[in-house]
Amino acid sequence: MRTTSTPTHCPYCALQCGMNLSPLPNGGVEVTERADFPVNRGALCGKGRTAPAVLSSRVRLTSPLVRSGGALVPATWDEALDRIAEGLRRTRTEHGPDACGVFGGGGLTNEKAYALGKFARIVLGTSQIDYNGRFCMSSAAAAGMKAFGLDRGLPFPLEDIPRTGCVILVGSNLAETMPPALRYFSELRENGGTLIVVDPRRTRTAEQADLHLAPRPGTDLALALGLLHLVVAEGRTDEAYIRERTSGWEEARAAAMAHWPEYVERITGVSVPQLREAVRLFCEPESAMVLTARGPEQQSKGTDTVGAWINLCLATGRPGRPLSGYGCLTGQGNGQGGREHGQKADQLPGYRKLVDPEARRHVAEVWGVDPDSLPGPGRSAYELLDALGTDIRALLLMGSNPVVSAPRAAHIEDRIRSLDFLAVCDVVLSETAALADVVLPVTQWAEETGTITNLEGRVLLRRQAITPPEGVRSDLYVLHELAASLDGPKGLETGPETGLGKGMETDLGKGLEKSLEKGFPTDPEEVFDELRRASAGGLADYSGITYRRLAEENGVFWPCPAGGHTDDGAGDREGASLDGLPDSPAGERTEVAVHPGTPRLFLDRFATEDGRARFVPVSHRAAAEEPDDEYPVLLTTGRVVAQYQSGAQTRRVDELNAAAPGPFVELHPRLAERLGAAEGDPVAVVSRRGRAVAPARITRTIRPDTVFMPFHWPGEGRANTLTNPALDPTSRMPEFKACAVRLETVRT
């Protein structure tokens, strides 16, 4: 057992707060403050402080399980892996490679996400891979790509927020979802800046705001367009910036001018004086930001909604200027890195597009396969889950719990139950794992080393602090063993030159032949070195990042190409540093200039072909499902401070359950009076997809036409039984944030 403190990072949200872990004599682990990490500066929320509780053998899996006689029973690793290999092999033989599906998670390390995408495409040969990060920030990613040519959650560090003049925070309750980040917004106000919060509920975050705008759920697009209309009408546009750094303004301007303030007030419920005050607060300072989260993004028009907020930023000259711009607050721990390196349906490592012939050639060369052997894009997350049991007959799932987290969850649970074969790799026996044919117990954050990429685009090194229990293996081990059992990577070639790109620094070739011979290394650093080669030259270029740099520099911001600077103009230039590369053949140290990483994007140019940001004209449209006589109320969903995502891990922590023991229905007193419900009474919320029951929580902090449910719980109170899987046409994001429901009292 280690006896010294190990610096590492929290397993939960995208802040990836720094912490120290110290083994205790009783076999437990103690979390202590790590003040040297700049994101949280030692601060931790309750989830981070109690994270070691899930390391306990009392709550986590410590043995493989296989289904026998209808029940899951302990098995050996050999038996469990053989069953998975046979299930996948049989499915592929009888129904073709696309009958095998792979579903990943936004909490997987970069190494795991990379290996999972590689496994799906060159071992199984399937196009059917996606991950639960599709439900996180895919709309913001799509809008960012359209506008800027690059998707990174925040194009600047969190440390810039307190120094700007105004922040519009749209659809985020970060006081509960990522509490250590709230200090940045408190410091903003202490420094004389202003905070505008857009949320249909008066949350703990909205309580901190100088101005709270409470639009009707699903109307954020109209709100952004109304603000842009006023910016134009009041002569607050930055004409020089628009002329010099953007394209497409006339079309976007015309679309916005159709959304006059009184019209927007009728749609959103936000008064015209509030709209005018928001424009004044945002436009008067020299610098300002718009930050979005799941509120505007988890909509069937989420890409257009985020695009409208970006248009507001561009019209006022904010993106690509110091202490200004647009950013997205990523939710999941590795929601950013998780999609950059290959577990998303349409992407290859380095944020390369699967349909791009050059991208296919580059990655295929690293993998040692024929580019033509790589399958094309597959289904998005919900579409993949919806196809289970029909087109997709077997599923390998890592680090996700769609029985609780997917929209229209009862239907998705039925689809999962209809599979011929399901294998799940997880830390705990989640609601989804409980339905599997095989469950593998895998290592978690404190028991393994790997990298994650936080909401700033800062690549971080999580370090192993303790030895995992006997019987637990890593996800990389699982993929290594399955690849060997399934006859190894298809067409894999070996050779010391395979995968080296032009101009790459020499250490990128180190261990390449060994890596290719093994196909799927179990050492995370070996996997990361291969990821570096695969990402080289892509939008998310990690080729200049090493484990040593991550340890020494407290993380490195991507893009960070190998071997010095590039002249793409997408980032800042903060000066080169020297990093000793491996010994030269003569035994002498070779010192070359290395790229310092890119904390701030777009200061010189945007990542588009012409270097200009693009306005995208958008117009308001209604939610996919509006209230009517049968379903007269809007439901919106979200999180509470003591639980995380599907709750599979946090619901196993006594302290967190004491703070948030179960689901509830939040409703306004006027709505409760009409229903005849009192505080704590069971209330049924019914949509076209199902029925959920939870105690009433009556509060004036929510709109009278809206109810709120947190989505962390399974069973009768499962909020996602109700939610609408209507998909954004671009991002394929489901509409979690707005659907029509009715309320019913429940007799006890």
Side-chain angles (χ1 to χ4, degrees):
M1 176 185 291
R2 299 172 187 266
T3 58
T4 58
S5 175
T6 301
T8 189
H9 297 274
C10 178
Y12 292 117
C13 82
L15 285 180
Q16 285 300 293
C17 293
M19 58 171 60
N20 292 313
L21 293 182
S22 302
L24 297 173
N26 64 4
V29 181
E30 180 183 29
V31 171
T32 57
E33 179 180 298
R34 182 183 166 195
D36 70 303
F37 186 60
V39 172
N40 62 309
R41 293 175 265 168
L44 292 170
C45 73
K47 295 187 291 290
R49 285 189 297 99
T50 61
V54 187
L55 298 168
S56 169
S57 296
R58 293 185 300 104
V59 301
R60 57 92 51 79
L61 295 167
T62 57
S63 171
L65 303 173
V66 299
R67 193 161 296 280
S68 176
L72 287 171
V73 299
T76 66
W77 268 90
D78 285 346
E79 180 184 1
L81 287 167
D82 285 347
R83 284 213 190 183
I84 297 174
E86 175 55 30
L88 295 174
R89 184 184 297 110
R90 182 176 63 251
T91 300
R92 192 173 61 180
T93 300
E94 294 178 1
H95 303 287
D98 273 359
C100 294
V102 176
F103 200 82
L108 300 181
T109 63
N110 290 317
E111 292 81 359
K112 293 178 184 181
Y114 171 82
L116 189 62
K118 177 182 176 183
F119 176 86
R121 293 185 171 101
I122 71 171
V123 176
L124 296 179
T126 182
S127 66
Q128 300 304 302
I129 175 172
D130 211 71
Y131 81 129
N132 64 14
R134 176 78 67 170
F135 302 155
C136 180
M137 56 175 287
S138 58
S139 294
M145 290 296 291
K146 285 185 177 183
F148 308 128
L150 183 70
D151 154 42
R152 196 180 84 184
L154 293 181
F156 39 71
L158 283 163
E159 67 186 39
D160 285 1
I161 290 173
R163 299 189 291 154
T164 194
C166 177
V167 171
I168 302 180
L169 184 62
V170 189
S172 171
N173 182 16
L174 54 81
E176 299 208 38
T177 59
M178 46 181 65
L182 189 62
R183 67 166 58 182
Y184 290 100
F185 299 87
S186 300
E187 292 170 5
L188 164 74
R189 298 184 71 209
E190 291 167 4
N191 292 339
T194 56
L195 174 63
I196 302 169
V197 171
V198 179
D199 199 304
R201 305 163 61 223
R202 190 162 182 81
T203 63
R204 289 174 54 195
T205 306
E207 289 284 352
Q208 307 297 313
D210 298 280
L211 178 64
H212 173 214
L213 307 180
R216 186 171 172 268
T219 65
D220 308 86
L221 175 53
L223 178 62
L225 288 164
L227 295 177
L228 182 53
H229 176 110
L230 285 171
V231 165
V232 175
E234 295 177 6
R236 296 180 183 270
T237 56
D238 188 329
E239 294 297 325
Y241 175 96
I242 292 170
R243 183 173 58 254
E244 295 166 8
R245 299 205 62 185
T246 73
S247 62
W249 167 234
E250 290 304 320
E251 295 84 356
R253 177 185 180 279
M257 295 313 288
H259 300 77
W260 60 95
E262 292 77 13
Y263 172 56
V264 170
E265 180 182 72
R266 290 197 300 273
I267 294 171
T268 65
V270 178
S271 70
V272 173
Q274 284 185 307
L275 296 173
R276 294 188 184 278
E277 178 65 0
V279 168
R280 184 187 71 80
L281 292 174
F282 184 68
C283 291
E284 285 187 353
E286 182 178 349
S287 59
M289 301 174 179
V290 171
L291 305 177
T292 66
R294 306 301 80 74
E297 297 163 18
Q298 288 181 326
Q299 298 185 28
S300 59
K301 53 183 181 297
T303 302
D304 284 357
T305 301
V306 174
W309 289 103
I310 291 175
N311 286 348
L312 176 67
C313 288
L314 291 173
T316 52
R318 305 305 192 181
R321 283 181 168 170
L323 308 179
S324 287
Y326 164 77
C328 167
L329 299 175
T330 310
Q332 293 194 79
N334 200 29
Q336 180 73 52
R339 72 178 175 281
E340 292 169 3
H341 299 301
Q343 65 173 336
K344 191 164 173 279
D346 59 348
Q347 286 179 191
L348 289 168
Y351 219 125
R352 288 181 158 90
K353 287 294 183 184
L354 195 51
V355 295
D356 178 3
E358 176 54 29
R360 294 169 67 88
R361 184 208 62 77
H362 174 88
V363 175
E365 187 177 8
V366 173
W367 289 349
V369 299
D370 185 339
D372 292 338
S373 72
L374 297 178
R379 293 173 171 89
S380 71
Y382 180 79
E383 292 164 305
L384 188 157
L385 295 170
D386 188 41
L388 299 180
T390 54
D391 294 340
I392 300 173
R393 309 296 293 270
L395 182 68
L396 174 64
L397 185 147
M398 283 187 171
S400 187
N401 189 18
V403 165
V404 177
S405 62
R408 197 185 174 197
H411 169 72
I412 295 304
E413 181 177 346
D414 288 343
R415 293 291 84 223
I416 290 172
R417 290 180 182 275
S418 72
L419 282 164
D420 295 342
F421 182 79
L422 171 63
V424 173
C425 300
D426 212 329
V427 173
V428 298
L429 190 66
S430 70
E431 287 72 24
T432 305
L435 304 179
D437 297 284
V438 181
V439 182
L440 297 180
V442 290
T443 50
Q444 53 179 310
W445 62 292
E447 301 163 348
E448 61 185 12
T449 295
T451 62
I452 60 276
T453 306
N454 80 345
L455 78 173
E456 307 165 295
R458 188 195 302 253
V459 185
L460 303 167
L461 182 65
R462 275 195 199 152
R463 299 168 176 85
Q464 181 180 357
I466 61 172
T467 302
E470 185 66 30
V472 173
R473 305 284 187 271
S474 74
D475 297 278
L476 295 179
Y477 172 85
V478 172
L479 295 174
H480 172 86
E481 293 296 311
L482 289 177
S485 296
L486 292 165
D487 302 320
K490 298 194 307 182
L492 192 64
E493 299 171 358
T494 61
E497 300 305 317
T498 307
L500 284 176
K502 181 180 179 181
M504 299 289 287
E505 62 188 51
T506 57
D507 76 325
L508 291 183
K510 186 176 63 175
L512 177 58
E513 183 172 4
K514 179 182 178 183
S515 174
L516 287 172
E517 287 173 351
K518 292 170 66 176
F520 287 82
T522 59
D523 176 14
E525 189 168 6
E526 281 191 57
V527 179
F528 187 75
D529 283 344
E530 186 180 308
L531 180 158
R532 293 168 62 204
R533 295 191 297 276
S535 74
L539 289 174
D541 190 334
Y542 283 30
S543 61
I545 303 175
T546 63
Y547 271 29
R548 188 179 75 180
R549 285 193 65 182
L550 295 178
E552 293 176 351
E553 300 176 31
N554 249 338
V556 177
F557 291 85
W558 72 262
C560 183
H565 296 293
T566 60
D567 293 323
D568 61 6
D572 57 358
R573 301 289 180 261
E574 296 195 345
S577 62
L578 291 179
D579 185 38
L581 297 178
D583 290 347
S584 68
E588 298 178 356
R589 298 292 292 176
T590 303
E591 300 285 341
V592 300
V594 298
H595 196 286
T598 314
R600 296 170 183 86
L601 296 167
F602 312 138
L603 296 184
D604 300 327
R605 67 192 305 274
F606 296 96
T608 57
E609 288 186 4
D610 61 5
R612 291 173 172 265
R614 306 183 189 100
F615 283 96
V616 178
V618 293
S619 296
H620 172 71
R621 59 185 185 275
E625 185 177 80
E626 289 287 336
D628 54 23
D629 291 342
E630 188 177 1
Y631 300 95
V633 177
L634 280 166
L635 168 71
T636 193
T637 63
R639 292 186 276 170
V640 297
V641 67
Q643 301 289 352
Y644 181 72
Q645 302 298 75
S646 75
Q649 295 185 39
T650 52
R651 284 187 275 110
R652 287 167 167 80
V653 180
D654 292 341
E655 181 179 330
L656 299 179
N657 283 334
F664 57 85
V665 181
E666 188 176 278
L667 64 164
H668 191 274
R670 296 211 300 265
L671 186 54
E673 183 179 4
R674 291 202 301 271
L675 183 64
E679 180 76 17
D681 285 353
V683 172
V685 185
V686 184
S687 78
R688 290 176 173 86
R689 289 153 295 281
R691 184 175 189 265
V693 178
R697 181 175 292 182
I698 301 173
T699 176
R700 294 187 179 277
T701 61
I702 192 167
R703 292 173 55 98
D705 58 2
T706 300
V707 295
F708 167 83
M709 290 187 72
F711 56 72
H712 309 290
W713 288 274
E716 186 179 50
R718 181 174 59 185
N720 278 320
T721 296
L722 309 167
T723 48
N724 191 353
L727 301 181
D728 179 285
T730 302
S731 69
R732 316 308 288 169
M733 168 74 85
E735 190 148 58
F736 287 100
K737 290 301 182 188
C739 71
V741 298
R742 67 171 182 266
L743 305 183
E744 299 172 352
T745 55
V746 178
R747 293 182 180 180
T748 57

